[in-house]
Amino acid sequence: MCGIVGYTGKNDCVDLLIDGLSKLEYRGYDSAGIAVMCDGQIEVKKSKGRLADLEKKMGEEGKPHGTCGIGHTRWATHGEPSDINSHPHGNKRVSIVHNGIIENYREIKEFLIDQGYSFVSETDTETVAKLLDYYYEGNPVDAIAHVIKEIRGSYAMGILFRDFPDKVYAVRKDSPLIIGLGEDGNFIASDVPAILKYTRNYYLLEPNEIATLSVNGVDVCDIHKNPVKKEVNVADWDLDAAEKGGYEHFMLKEINEQPTAIRTTIAPRISEGMPYLEESGMTKEMLRDYNRIYIVACGTAMHAGLIGKYVIERIAGIEVTVDIASEFRYRNPIITDKDLVILISQSGETADTLAALKLAKEKGATTMSVVNVKGSSIARESDVVVYTHAGPEISVASTKAYAVQLSVMYLLAFELAYAKGAISKEKCMELTAELQKVPDKIQDILVLKERCQFIASRLINAESLLYIGRGLDYALSMEGSLKLKEISYIHSESYAAGELKHGTISLVTDDMPVIAIATQSDLFEKTLSNIKEVKARGAKVTMICREGTEDDKAVANHLVTLPNMDDIMMPMLALVPMQYIAYYTAVLKGCDVDKPRNLAKSVTVE
Ligand code: AGP
């Protein structure tokens, strides 16, 4: 997620902007920049890399001075990390910083080129800046109102107009932005940490409200220019809590960010109700030719690949082999130039996955990566890249990255199935629409945290526990088991429910916790039988299932029920209680949830 700051007041703004951006570094970024009103002109300084690189550049080129400016730390989505793609973007008359994704920037860019505009960057943001210039006829609020009626997507923007050298303008929709109310001036910021040093008082901007900041105050109006009276909020967090958005841990914050992360990832990949991955370079013609797919990854990313296997084979009827990268790279896999090898990686830097990618390329396969970090090694080396837009994932235990990796697997499965003629356009649109319902469904089930907290309290003294399921539930149980192990240090094992009776059920003793995932309607009765098997041997069963058939569920000791969706979509919902149960077990055990022992966020060595 990008970071935005802005200031207009009595003091020089450059150090304030840099300090504010430094408090947003936790959001992750790959470039930074500022725009300052200096002697009636907009002066821009921006650089790829860290804030220190920007400050070094200003030391070399001269530091701007002024009391009104905007700043930005960029988490690349459109366009690689580079000086030219860094924000701010604009021209002599207008400059903007932006957080979000403009879905219709391509058509706007074509229109502006027809109007004689030229573009220097690959970003969607530059398009918005030039559209503002196009509509500007002397009134900044009018120009902003025109632009937000035309653009689609998510945005939080800080804007400078040369003709109004002491004002900062701001507007947002779906991306966060607050207005800080200080004694010596006023601020805009993506998040509270950036302003805490100067003020605890702030406005929350509602979608498409336009704010005009000056040294003496802040005016807010709606898109029709009607004045809006704002309530003052007071931040009572310390800085550490503020960086976590008020959540106790980054992991909990990231679990709660999943609805937004999924929306931001899938929205640009759906066009007229159909999956649209062409922007990644994967065309329907290419998809039609593959008869075998490998999915290669590590840890949670590999678990996302497992869900992808079940979904792609069920919907598209294409054989999928899922491999752990550290095994794939040494087992001399049989790959031809007719195969598609998909690498999934949040960091894009995992050594084993990168090595697997290189091996697949050596063998002539087409390589497609699903990566969260723009411009990372795996992304750069792949033939085709589908970026997830989860924003930086700070907690070592992957949560929102897993959710968005799944969402890309679903889109790929639907597009592949349609390209292969395995499903009709109507069915493809129906499945795509079902996927688009997931973020709201996840939002609804985030309230399950108290239930999961109670269940976690029953796990903290366990020696070991089992996660069981069948089909997609079994694939998901692997992720649930890993989450619990890696942050609570309690041993657990994921097991195919139907396989228990072939040996592992001998482990089940009185009070052994078993987490049974039973969301697949076609396998529900069979999973129920397996639950009864372990119950009969003394296990304490938590059952994660869909609403309805309450009497069948009396067999479990604890229940987590989920809203009904298409069977194939249920892992997208069942992942939430998996994550919550692991999180609260670790918290109750007093573990270091965000930085578990022995683990690194990205394993860049073998
Ligand atoms: C997930 O909770 C783990 N932290 C770990 O398994 C991780 O998924 C794995 O190391 C792969 O990392 P990547 O997605 O960055 O490649």
Side-chain angles (χ1 to χ4, degrees):
M1 292 170 288
C2 306
I4 289 174
V5 295
Y7 171 81
T8 182
K10 299 171 185 165
N11 305 318
D12 187 283
C13 69
V14 173
D15 292 343
L16 289 172
L17 296 175
I18 299 296
D19 176 66
L21 291 176
S22 71
K23 300 295 188 295
L24 300 177
E25 285 190 297
Y26 72 87
R27 299 163 70 88
Y29 68 104
D30 44 52
S31 59
I34 62 172
V36 178
M37 295 306 304
C38 301
D39 305 326
Q41 297 304 321
I42 299 173
E43 189 166 346
V44 174
K45 295 291 180 188
K46 58 185 188 176
S47 161
K48 178 181 176 183
R50 315 300 293 171
L51 284 173
D53 298 308
L54 176 61
E55 292 186 284
K56 180 167 179 281
K57 186 170 195 173
M58 290 196 286
E60 291 162 356
E61 298 177 358
K63 184 176 174 180
H65 286 284
T67 60
C68 179
I70 52 179
H72 189 262
T73 47
R74 180 174 183 248
W75 172 264
T77 52
H78 291 82
E80 299 302 320
S82 67
D83 288 3
I84 203 69
N85 285 333
S86 310
H87 298 205
H89 286 283
N91 56 23
K92 292 187 181 312
R93 296 204 306 173
V94 63
S95 185
I96 78 169
V97 289
H98 164 232
N99 177 22
I101 290 184
I102 304 302
E103 293 162 16
N104 60 335
Y105 84 95
R106 284 186 293 270
E107 56 220 60
I108 295 172
K109 189 169 183 174
E110 284 162 21
F111 165 75
L112 290 169
I113 288 169
D114 289 345
Q115 303 302 315
Y117 282 89
S118 58
F119 290 84
V120 295
S121 80
E122 304 163 82
T123 66
D124 52 349
T125 305
E126 186 183 6
T127 300
V128 178
K130 304 283 170 73
L131 191 63
L132 272 169
D133 182 77
Y134 174 76
Y135 279 124
Y136 176 66
E137 295 175 342
N139 183 317
V141 175
D142 282 346
I144 294 167
H146 271 297
V147 165
I148 58 180
K149 285 172 188 161
E150 198 161 317
I151 59 178
R152 285 199 317 273
S154 58
Y155 47 86
M157 291 189 271
I159 309 165
L160 294 181
F161 287 85
R162 180 187 58 189
D163 297 347
F164 296 81
D166 65 339
K167 288 186 171 49
V168 171
Y169 297 84
V171 67
R172 63 164 287 269
K173 180 171 84 66
D174 294 340
S175 290
L177 197 65
I178 60 173
I179 310 290
L181 308 168
E183 286 176 14
D184 295 336
N186 296 300
F187 301 79
I188 61 170
S190 298
D191 201 355
V192 167
I195 63 169
L196 270 185
K197 189 172 172 182
Y198 311 101
T199 179
R200 288 184 176 275
N201 300 326
Y202 63 96
Y203 291 152
L204 284 171
L205 266 188
E206 296 304 319
N208 287 337
E209 286 181 344
I210 302 167
T212 303
L213 284 71
S214 62
V215 63
N216 300 316
V218 179
D219 294 321
V220 179
C221 67
D222 66 17
I223 199 167
H224 307 296
K225 295 175 61 176
N226 303 315
V228 174
K229 184 155 177 42
K230 299 300 289 180
E231 182 190 330
V232 177
N233 296 275
V234 181
D236 55 5
W237 295 328
D238 62 25
L239 187 55
D240 179 54
E243 284 186 352
K244 301 181 183 79
Y247 292 99
E248 189 181 354
H249 299 101
F250 279 112
M251 182 175 175
L252 187 58
K253 177 169 178 273
E254 288 155 8
I255 289 170
N256 282 271
E257 285 175 342
Q258 291 181 127
T260 301
I262 294 167
R263 281 191 200 97
T264 310
T265 296
I266 66 176
R269 281 71 182 253
I270 294 171
S271 174
E272 295 170 358
M274 290 288 282
Y276 178 76
L277 294 173
E278 309 248 341
E279 188 186 35
S280 66
M282 179 56 75
T283 63
K284 286 183 179 49
E285 293 66 36
M286 290 167 70
L287 285 173
R288 204 169 289 134
D289 291 343
Y290 299 121
N291 294 315
R292 184 170 55 182
I293 294 175
Y294 284 87
I295 301 179
V296 185
C298 302
T300 290
M302 188 273 285
H303 295 155
L306 278 174
I307 300 280
K309 168 186 170 65
Y310 278 90
V311 173
I312 292 170
E313 288 186 344
R314 188 182 301 185
I315 302 282
I318 295 177
E319 180 195 350
V320 180
T321 304
V322 178
D323 248 316
I324 295 170
S326 52
E327 291 296 308
F328 178 87
R329 64 184 291 196
Y330 293 116
R331 69 176 182 78
N332 194 22
I334 300 162
I335 300 175
T336 73
D337 59 2
K338 293 281 181 290
D339 295 333
L340 171 64
V341 178
I342 300 173
L343 297 308
I344 304 177
S345 176
Q346 188 286 130
S347 64
E349 299 298 344
T350 300
D352 285 323
T353 310
L354 182 58
L357 163 63
K358 291 175 178 173
L359 176 64
K361 288 181 79 170
E362 282 165 22
K363 290 180 173 282
T366 304
T367 55
M368 172 189 202
S369 62
V370 179
V371 175
N372 197 42
V373 179
K374 195 88 181 182
S376 52
S377 304
I378 289 170
R380 285 199 310 273
E381 295 264 349
S382 305
D383 299 314
V384 172
V385 187
V386 179
Y387 281 112
T388 51
H389 300 313
E393 190 174 66
I394 310 295
S395 185
V396 166
S398 188
T399 50
K400 61 176 182 175
Y402 176 69
V404 296
Q405 287 160 1
L406 293 194
S407 66
V408 171
M409 289 293 107
Y410 282 102
L411 285 174
L412 176 65
F414 303 161
E415 185 156 53
L416 199 54
Y418 179 59
K420 286 271 189 186
I423 59 173
S424 66
K425 179 169 185 176
E426 290 68 32
K427 182 63 179 172
C428 192
M429 292 180 75
E430 177 195 316
L431 289 167
T432 305
E434 188 78 352
L435 177 60
Q436 287 175 296
K437 293 175 191 163
V438 165
D440 287 344
K441 296 278 188 185
I442 289 180
Q443 193 66 50
D444 294 344
I445 59 180
L446 288 171
V447 298
L448 287 172
K449 60 183 180 182
E450 278 81 15
R451 184 105 200 79
C452 295
Q453 222 165 351
F454 170 76
I455 292 164
S457 68
R458 297 296 185 271
L459 303 180
I460 55 173
N461 298 315
E463 286 286 307
S464 176
L465 58 98
L466 288 176
Y467 282 75
I468 65 171
R470 287 172 176 256
L472 279 168
D473 289 333
Y474 170 47
L476 182 71
S477 73
M478 292 185 191
E479 176 57 13
S481 172
L482 175 62
K483 284 279 96 43
L484 185 91
K485 281 185 282 195
E486 66 176 331
I487 62 174
S488 75
Y489 314 143
I490 297 174
H491 176 257
S492 72
E493 186 174 1
S494 153
Y495 224 83
E499 179 68 4
L500 280 170
K501 53 187 170 298
H502 299 287
T504 301
I505 201 165
S506 67
L507 289 178
V508 178
T509 56
D510 277 354
D511 300 332
M512 179 181 199
V514 173
I515 311 281
I517 310 169
T519 70
Q520 300 300 295
S521 43
D522 57 338
L523 296 167
F524 181 72
E525 291 306 325
K526 296 196 180 302
T527 307
L528 216 49
S529 304
N530 299 137
I531 290 171
K532 288 172 185 167
E533 284 166 15
V534 295
K535 279 278 284 175
R537 288 153 178 89
K540 289 287 182 287
V541 176
T542 293
M543 186 174 176
I544 296 174
C545 54
R546 52 177 69 233
E547 286 158 356
T549 62
E550 296 312 318
D551 53 321
D552 286 336
K553 298 160 188 174
V555 71
N557 300 88
H558 311 295
L559 265 188
V560 179
T561 56
L562 300 169
N564 277 302
M565 290 196 86
D566 189 299
D567 269 353
I568 204 163
M569 217 48 78
M570 289 307 290
M572 292 292 288
L573 305 187
L575 63 83
V576 174
M578 291 284 98
Q579 295 164 346
Y580 268 151
I581 287 170
Y583 171 76
Y584 286 112
T585 304
V587 168
L588 290 169
K589 283 196 67 183
C591 297
D592 184 349
V593 173
D594 285 330
K595 298 186 185 68
R597 68 187 182 204
N598 310 337
L599 293 179
K601 183 58 187 169
S602 177
V603 184
T604 57
V605 294
E606 274 209 61

